[in-house]
Amino acid sequence: MTQGRLIAVVGPSGVGKDSVIDKLCRVRPDLHRVRRVITRAPGAGGEDFDAMSQDAFDAMTAKGQFCLDWAAHGLRYGIRTEVLMLLAQGEDCIVNLSRGVLAEAGRLVPDLVVLVLCASPKVLRQRLAGRARETEAEIAARLARDAACVPADLTVVTISNDGPLQDTVTRVLAALYPV
């Protein structure tokens, strides 16, 4: 059986990572969306995720129940180890990952593909403001943040998500699943 690929979607806040992932999974039902565990209050908006307290997250980490975990924006994020079984069964899995754990993910998963989504600063600002989850100062801080580099030894696909979502998804599908 062929090993599945882990498709790690990365990019700045507001670039549309979750929207692209959602649409890709609707178009390709065989693509498994990895649900993240986040120390965020339930119902906080954005992606579907498993909300967890910091104490419960720490307990799962101590038990080795995450294959990847990281901290960002005052929250903790985790990917359950079950994703490794899905990959071993030949399933392609897609997940919104932090650029900070890409090197670790590359060591963990032989067939890692990094999907880098980008957009202009103007588009990012509009999208972040439209989410209404952050103040103007928090949005400015996100936009000013230096983007971490993607390790050079990984397979990378870069797609602009400045335009219509369907156009982006069409380009992503052509890159990931060439005919």
Side-chain angles (χ1 to χ4, degrees):
M1 180 178 292
T2 303
Q3 172 83 17
R5 294 179 298 171
L6 180 63
I7 302 163
V9 181
V10 300
S13 296
V15 79
K17 295 180 293 286
D18 292 320
S19 296
V20 170
I21 292 170
D22 288 345
K23 183 75 170 177
L24 285 168
C25 289
R26 283 195 301 275
V27 172
R28 290 213 45 131
D30 59 327
L31 183 58
H32 177 84
R33 182 180 185 147
V34 177
R35 190 175 170 104
R36 301 189 302 177
V37 175
I38 307 174
T39 58
R40 178 187 291 158
E47 71 185 280
D48 286 332
F49 63 95
D50 293 332
M52 187 166 290
S53 71
Q54 183 64 54
D55 289 342
F57 191 97
D58 290 343
M60 284 185 73
T61 302
K63 292 177 186 174
Q65 293 177 314
F66 296 125
C67 59
L68 293 168
D69 69 279
W70 66 96
H73 312 297
L75 302 171
R76 296 293 309 276
Y77 296 80
I79 306 301
R80 288 188 172 92
T81 56
E82 287 83 6
V83 72
L84 300 176
M85 291 186 313
L86 294 170
L87 294 168
Q89 294 167 3
E91 286 194 45
D92 281 354
C93 298
I94 191 165
V95 62
N96 180 341
L97 271 190
S98 167
R99 288 168 285 210
V101 295
L102 288 176
E104 183 180 355
R107 289 188 295 274
L108 185 67
V109 178
D111 286 324
L112 175 71
V113 176
V114 181
L115 174 58
V116 178
L117 296 177
C118 56
S120 71
K122 178 182 176 184
V123 168
L124 293 174
R125 180 175 292 286
Q126 289 170 339
R127 289 180 183 164
L128 288 170
R131 293 191 319 194
R133 291 195 308 223
E134 299 164 308
T135 67
E136 189 60 37
E138 290 169 330
I139 290 171
R142 277 190 187 266
L143 292 173
R145 208 170 55 119
D146 287 337
C149 293
V150 175
D153 59 338
L154 299 178
T155 301
V156 176
V157 173
T158 302
I159 304 284
S160 173
N161 189 27
D162 265 350
L165 178 61
Q166 184 57 52
D167 292 351
T168 300
V169 169
T170 299
R171 289 192 307 276
V172 170
L173 289 171
L176 295 178
Y177 299 98
V179 191

